[in-house]
């Protein structure tokens, strides 16, 4: 009887876990992230294939996406704050998946009838299809940004309740899901396109998003039902109270407490907008409302007590030291093949998972703010290997070669050294200049693989500190940004991230040849160091001399972390 009861209790605990709101959020996030990773990988391949093995459409798409989030991040976040949670989550989910489905169907039509479309109206119909694909895909990305802000920065906090340790565990689990899907999802869709066709790949992604949308919609509804706190959104009662206070100014002057008088910045802007006279609510006033929202969002972001922590995370996006097309192109110029790069990407994913696990352990031992400081030191120490690789044997770094030489030769349409065209631009665009040598020809032997080995060793090892630091800043924003401003603050944070990411691409465009890559590495490490210096300023201002007192009991550490946070920058 006792054994039966024990088994039943164990079964019930397992059942409760798989039906809990926390697990349902994990499932929904896994499905959403899997679809996003497949689409982000596939759309770049599709655009390259459609435009004759050129990166022009892909570059335009990346520029449109980065510019849209940069300009509309605060407005999207404000929309998230002003509307009920379930409505925001469902709307962004439906818009995102519907746009991907429509875009996939449109791409199937283009792939199947491309020859006919080229002949219609001198190719203008095909050009219109390209514009529609990029526009719809950009709308899907904006909806994905709203979904990410809603689920990862708001719903997760509410489901975790007031338990900081539970919130850290949920953030770490969500990040592990991101790491796994970032590797597995592109592999799946890549195999489908390799053994099938791009037409089949478009159909598979469209079908996946259709099925995933229905399942995610049901999971969101289940989480909403299991978490009553999601139905109550802070800020609504305060706004009603402000309206009453604005309509009775005498009562405000006579009996208002200091707590009632200090309201969030974005709430004040919305209340003032609602209380304007009909004359002020004219056409010009309504047209300028997005600009006022954008300005108020950036001002609110600057006035946050975690401003320097968020800014430090943005500076980490200004780097070429990641497994993107830039680093991949450079690796090809140094003699690494696709199989070696796939192994390195797998090692990078494992390193990132280790970073998420290390975050939860270090946070329990040292506290949240100190975890960010330790993670930053670890990342900078690992990136020293990348700086050493610039001057190691086998490095193509050469300051005598102008970093703008390759850009200049592309602009004037000439090639002074056609036989030595190994620029990143040529590698990534798949140009005909990098032809495969015949069996009788020999590639120029590399002096040593020491440089590229040190480079990737530093990049992979630094992922541990990078992801631990990212989780630290994420949780700091979750815990210190008031509920009524979570959307707009995280929207501005996404805009900052995209801004620095856009600058790093511009930096590569200005210096695309491998001889200048070492300079890009040094600039990247400098920006990472400046970012962590900003975080150190935030941490020192928050904890002072106690910043260096680590490995104290958890209760004491947690008590030291939050009360001394500054209220203003």
């Amino acid at each position: 009887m006792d054994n039966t009861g024990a088994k039943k209790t164990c079964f019930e605990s397992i059942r409760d876990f798989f039906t809990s709101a926390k697990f349902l959020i994990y499932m929904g996030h896994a499905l959403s992230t899997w679809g996003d990773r497949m689409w982000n990988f596939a759309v770049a391949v599709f655009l390259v294939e459609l435009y004759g093995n050129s990166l022009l459409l892909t570059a335009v798409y990346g520029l449109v996406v980065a510019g849209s989030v940069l300009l509309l991040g605060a407005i999207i976040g404000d929309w998230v704050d002003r509307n009920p949670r379930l409505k925001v989550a469902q709307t962004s989910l439906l818009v995102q998946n519907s746009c991907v489905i429509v875009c996939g169907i449109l791409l199937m039509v283009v792939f199947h009838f491309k020859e006919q479309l080229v002949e219609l109206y001198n190719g203008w119909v095909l050009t219109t299809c390209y514009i529609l694909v990029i526009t719809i895909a950009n709308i899907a990305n904006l909806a994905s940004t709203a979904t990410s802000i809603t689920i990862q920065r708001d719903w997760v906090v509410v489901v975790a309740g007031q338990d900081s340790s539970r919130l850290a565990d949920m953030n770490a689990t969500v990040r592990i899901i991101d790491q796994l899907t970032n590797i597995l999802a592109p592999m799946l869709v890549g195999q489908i396109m390799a053994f099938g066709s791009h037409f089949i790949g478009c159909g598979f992604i469209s079908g996946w998003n259709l099925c995933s949308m229905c399942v995610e919609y049901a999971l969101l509804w289940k989480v909403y039902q299991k978490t009553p706190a999601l139905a109550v959104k802070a800020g609504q009662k305060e706004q009603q109270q402000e309206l009453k206070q604005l309509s009775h100014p005498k009562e405000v002057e006579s009996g208002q407490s200091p707590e009632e008088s200090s309201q969030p910045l974005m709430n004040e802007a919305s209340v003032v907008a609602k209380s304007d006279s009909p004359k002020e609510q004219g056409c010009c006033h309504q047209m300028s409302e997005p600009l006022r929202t954008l300005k108020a969002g950036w001002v609110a972001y600057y006035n946050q007590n975690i401003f320097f922590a968020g800014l430090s995370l943005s500076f980490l996006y200004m780097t070429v030291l990641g497994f993107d097309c830039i680093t991949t192109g450079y690796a090809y110029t140094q003699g690494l093949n696709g199989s070696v790069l796939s192994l390195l990407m797998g090692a990078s994913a494992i390193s990132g998972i280790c970073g998420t696990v290390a975050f939860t352990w270090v946070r329990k031992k040292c506290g949240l703010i100190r975890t960010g400081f330790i993670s930053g030191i670890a990342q900078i120490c690992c990136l020293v290997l990348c700086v050493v690789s610039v001057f190691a044997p086998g490095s193509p770094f050469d300051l005598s070669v102008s970093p703008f030489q390759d850009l200049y030769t592309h602009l004037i349409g000439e090639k002074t050294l056609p036989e030595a065209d190994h620029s990143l631009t040529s590698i990534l665009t798949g140009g005909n200049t990098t032809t495969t040598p015949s069996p009788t020809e020999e590639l120029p032997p590399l002096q040593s693989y020491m440089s590229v080995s040190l480079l990737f060793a530093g990049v992979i090892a630094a992922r541990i500190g990078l992801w631990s630091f990212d989780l630290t800043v994420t949780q700091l924003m979750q815990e210190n940004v008031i509920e009524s401003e979570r959307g707009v603050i995280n929207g501005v944070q996404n805009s900052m991230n995209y801004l620095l990411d856009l600058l790093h691409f511009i930096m590569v465009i200005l210096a695309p040849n491998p001889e200048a890559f070492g300079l890009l590495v040094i600039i990247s490490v400098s920006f990472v160091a400046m970012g962590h210096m900003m975080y150190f300023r935030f941490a020192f201002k928050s904890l002072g001399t106690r910043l260096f007192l680590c490995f104290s009991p958890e209760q004491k550490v947690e008590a030291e972390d939050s009360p001394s946070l500054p209220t203003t920058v």
Side-chain angles (χ1 to χ4, degrees):
M1 295 297 293
D2 294 336
N3 293 334
T4 304
K7 291 181 180 179
K8 185 177 180 181
T9 303
C10 181
F11 173 77
E12 288 180 347
S13 62
I14 296 175
R15 183 193 61 187
D16 293 341
F17 172 76
F18 284 108
T19 57
S20 64
K22 180 171 69 173
F23 179 77
L24 294 178
I25 278 190
Y26 295 156
M27 287 294 297
H29 180 69
L31 290 173
S32 177
T33 307
W34 187 279
D36 285 346
R37 297 297 185 268
M38 285 198 307
W39 171 247
N40 291 334
F41 171 80
V43 69
V45 177
F46 293 154
L47 292 176
V48 171
E49 180 68 20
L50 286 175
Y51 208 69
N53 293 329
S54 172
L55 280 183
L56 178 61
L57 286 181
T58 306
V60 172
Y61 170 70
L63 182 63
V64 170
V65 166
S68 299
V69 178
L70 179 61
L71 295 176
L72 303 178
I75 298 174
I76 293 174
D78 182 63
W79 174 75
V80 171
D81 287 332
R82 293 193 184 196
N83 292 275
R85 288 190 173 96
L86 185 61
K87 176 185 176 181
V88 170
Q90 291 176 340
T91 303
S92 57
L93 174 66
L94 292 175
V95 172
Q96 176 191 359
N97 288 273
S98 299
C99 288
V100 172
I101 293 171
V102 172
C103 205
I105 295 174
L106 182 59
L107 285 170
M108 292 173 68
V109 173
V110 173
F111 276 119
H112 193 268
F113 300 101
K114 184 177 180 181
E115 296 180 359
Q116 292 84 341
L117 293 175
V118 172
E119 299 176 356
L120 289 176
Y121 298 100
N122 296 325
W124 282 105
V125 175
L126 184 61
T127 303
T128 304
C129 291
Y130 292 157
I131 296 174
L132 287 175
V133 168
I134 293 176
T135 303
I136 298 173
N138 182 48
I139 296 174
N141 182 77
L142 294 175
S144 176
T145 302
T147 302
S148 176
I149 294 174
T150 303
I151 303 300
Q152 298 184 36
R153 305 302 174 91
D154 188 26
W155 283 45
V156 170
V157 181
V158 178
V159 171
Q162 302 297 325
D163 192 342
S164 181
S165 297
R166 188 183 183 189
L167 178 60
D169 294 337
M170 291 186 68
N171 286 331
T173 304
V174 167
R175 199 51 51 87
I176 291 175
I177 294 173
D178 290 340
Q179 290 288 327
L180 293 176
T181 54
N182 195 32
I183 297 297
L184 299 178
M187 289 176 58
L188 174 63
V189 71
Q191 293 299 317
I192 292 174
M193 290 189 295
F195 290 98
S197 64
H198 291 88
F199 182 86
I200 296 176
C202 293
F204 176 79
I205 293 176
S206 297
W208 173 275
N209 278 271
L210 179 60
C211 299
S212 176
M213 178 176 61
C214 301
V215 177
E216 289 179 57
Y217 195 94
L219 290 174
L220 286 175
W221 177 249
K222 285 290 185 182
V223 173
Y224 189 80
Q225 286 182 322
K226 290 180 175 293
T227 312
L230 290 173
V232 181
K233 199 165 188 178
Q236 297 175 352
K237 294 183 178 180
E238 288 82 353
Q239 291 179 9
Q240 295 177 0
Q241 185 177 4
E242 283 185 339
L243 288 174
K244 294 180 180 179
Q245 293 172 355
L246 290 172
S247 61
H248 302 285
K250 294 182 179 179
E251 297 178 3
V252 174
E253 294 177 0
S254 58
Q256 189 178 17
S257 62
E259 290 79 6
E260 293 172 344
S261 62
S262 59
Q263 298 295 337
L265 176 62
M266 294 303 297
N267 286 346
E268 291 178 357
S270 61
V271 170
V272 171
K274 292 179 181 179
S275 61
D276 286 338
S277 61
K279 294 182 180 180
E280 294 178 350
Q281 291 288 350
C283 181
C284 295
H285 184 272
Q286 294 178 359
M287 291 179 62
S288 63
E289 184 177 358
L291 296 177
R292 295 196 308 273
T293 301
L294 181 65
K295 177 183 176 181
W298 283 87
V299 171
Y301 177 77
Y302 175 78
N303 289 328
Q304 294 297 312
N305 51 15
I306 43 85
F307 167 72
F308 280 103
L311 191 61
S312 66
L313 179 62
S314 299
F315 266 63
L316 269 58
Y317 282 78
M318 178 65 176
T319 178
V320 296
L321 302 176
F323 282 89
D324 55 4
C325 59
I326 305 301
T327 310
T328 303
Y330 175 76
Y332 273 112
T333 66
Q334 300 305 296
L336 299 184
N337 55 29
S339 60
V340 174
L341 285 174
S342 63
L343 293 176
L344 292 176
M345 291 182 66
S348 174
I350 295 174
S351 178
I353 294 174
C354 293
T356 59
V357 175
F359 162 76
T360 57
W361 183 80
V362 177
R363 191 202 66 84
K364 292 179 180 179
K365 295 293 183 180
C366 301
L368 185 59
I369 297 180
R370 296 182 183 87
T371 301
F373 178 76
I374 296 172
S375 302
I377 295 297
Q379 184 184 8
I380 292 177
C381 291
C382 294
L383 291 181
V384 171
L385 293 175
C386 299
V387 178
V388 174
S389 72
V390 176
F391 307 98
S395 173
F397 182 58
D398 188 2
L399 290 178
S400 63
V401 178
S402 173
F404 307 103
Q405 176 182 351
D406 192 75
L407 177 65
Y408 174 74
T409 54
H410 273 77
L411 289 176
I412 65 175
E414 297 178 358
K415 281 292 180 182
T416 56
L417 296 174
E419 70 278 4
D421 185 11
H422 295 289
S423 66
L424 293 182
T425 305
S426 179
I427 293 295
L428 294 177
T429 56
N432 295 327
T433 56
T434 56
T435 56
T436 303
S438 62
T440 58
E441 297 177 354
E442 293 184 1
L443 289 172
L446 292 174
Q447 295 180 0
S448 173
Y449 284 99
M450 180 179 296
S451 175
V452 70
S453 299
L454 288 173
L455 175 68
F456 281 97
V459 171
I460 293 173
R463 310 296 280 187
I464 299 177
L466 171 64
W467 288 113
S468 179
F469 182 79
D470 181 86
L471 285 169
T472 300
V473 176
T474 298
Q475 187 160 344
L476 281 171
M477 297 184 70
Q478 289 172 335
E479 294 182 352
N480 293 278
V481 176
I482 60 177
E483 185 176 338
S484 59
E485 290 187 0
R486 282 178 189 159
V488 68
I489 298 303
N490 285 284
V492 176
Q493 181 66 46
N494 286 338
S495 298
M496 287 293 302
N497 297 343
Y498 270 92
L499 174 61
L500 272 298
D501 188 57
L502 186 63
L503 291 178
H504 116 267
F505 278 109
I506 295 176
M507 179 177 66
V508 175
I509 292 173
L510 294 177
N513 51 328
E515 290 81 7
F517 190 79
L519 181 62
L520 303 185
V521 170
I522 296 174
I523 295 175
S524 299
V525 176
S526 301
F527 269 85
V528 172
M530 285 189 291
H532 289 300
M533 288 174 63
M534 293 179 186
Y535 182 84
F536 177 76
R537 181 188 185 281
F538 159 79
F540 189 83
K541 190 174 182 180
S542 302
L543 299 179
T545 56
R546 292 177 297 168
L547 174 64
F548 304 99
L549 301 176
C550 294
F551 298 99
S552 55
E554 181 180 356
Q555 293 81 4
K556 182 179 179 181
V557 170
E558 295 297 333
E560 290 178 349
D561 274 353
S562 54
S564 54
L565 283 171
T567 57
T568 57
V569 178

